[in-house]
């Protein structure tokens, strides 16, 4: 169907990249196949000048089916020069991280996919 994402991800690939306004840090969301029908979405923040990775953590692990996949694909925003946040398709703020230190200021949950579970 037109516009549907590819549901078979066999290799790790970069889904989204964004650099901050002064061009120093790059944030990426990487899709990684985990097991049979699961995907990890990993946030990586790297300094463009010295190539040092300050943050690399799994944001969410999700089932590899259309709705779950669509919700898990995050939107990256720089809330300040040195702070990145990621939002999911439902408007949940998944994580906010200081790019300089890699310290998490906020995270929705340590449990994978908690944002997508029905109450």
């Amino acid at each position: 169907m037109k516009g549907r994402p590819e549901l078979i991800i066999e290799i790790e690939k970069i889904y989204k990249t964004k650099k901050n306004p002064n061009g120093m840090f790059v944030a990426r969301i990487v899709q990684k196949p985990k097991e049979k029908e699961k995907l990890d979405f990993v946030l990586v923040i790297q300094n463009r000048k010295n190539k040092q990775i300050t943050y690399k953590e799994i944001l969410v692990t999700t089932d590899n089916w259309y709705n779950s996949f669509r919700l898990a694909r995050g939107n990256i925003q720089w809330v300040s020069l040195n702070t990145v946040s990621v939002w999911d398709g439902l408007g949940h703020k998944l994580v906010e991280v200081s790019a300089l230190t890699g310290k998490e200021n906020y995270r929705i949950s340590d449990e994978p996919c908690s944002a997508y579970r029905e109450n």
Side-chain angles (χ1 to χ4, degrees), residues 64-80:
N64 192 13
W65 54 278
Y66 181 71
N67 288 329
S68 178
F69 182 93
R70 182 175 56 82
L71 292 173
R73 293 172 78 120
N75 298 308
I76 305 173
Q77 294 180 344
W78 287 92
V79 293
S80 73

Side-chain angles (χ1 to χ4, degrees), residues 42-54:
V42 181
L43 175 63
V44 180
I45 301 173
Q46 183 176 25
N47 188 308
R48 290 185 75 205
K49 293 193 165 110
N50 62 20
K51 306 300 182 200
Q52 180 182 356
I53 291 176
T54 55

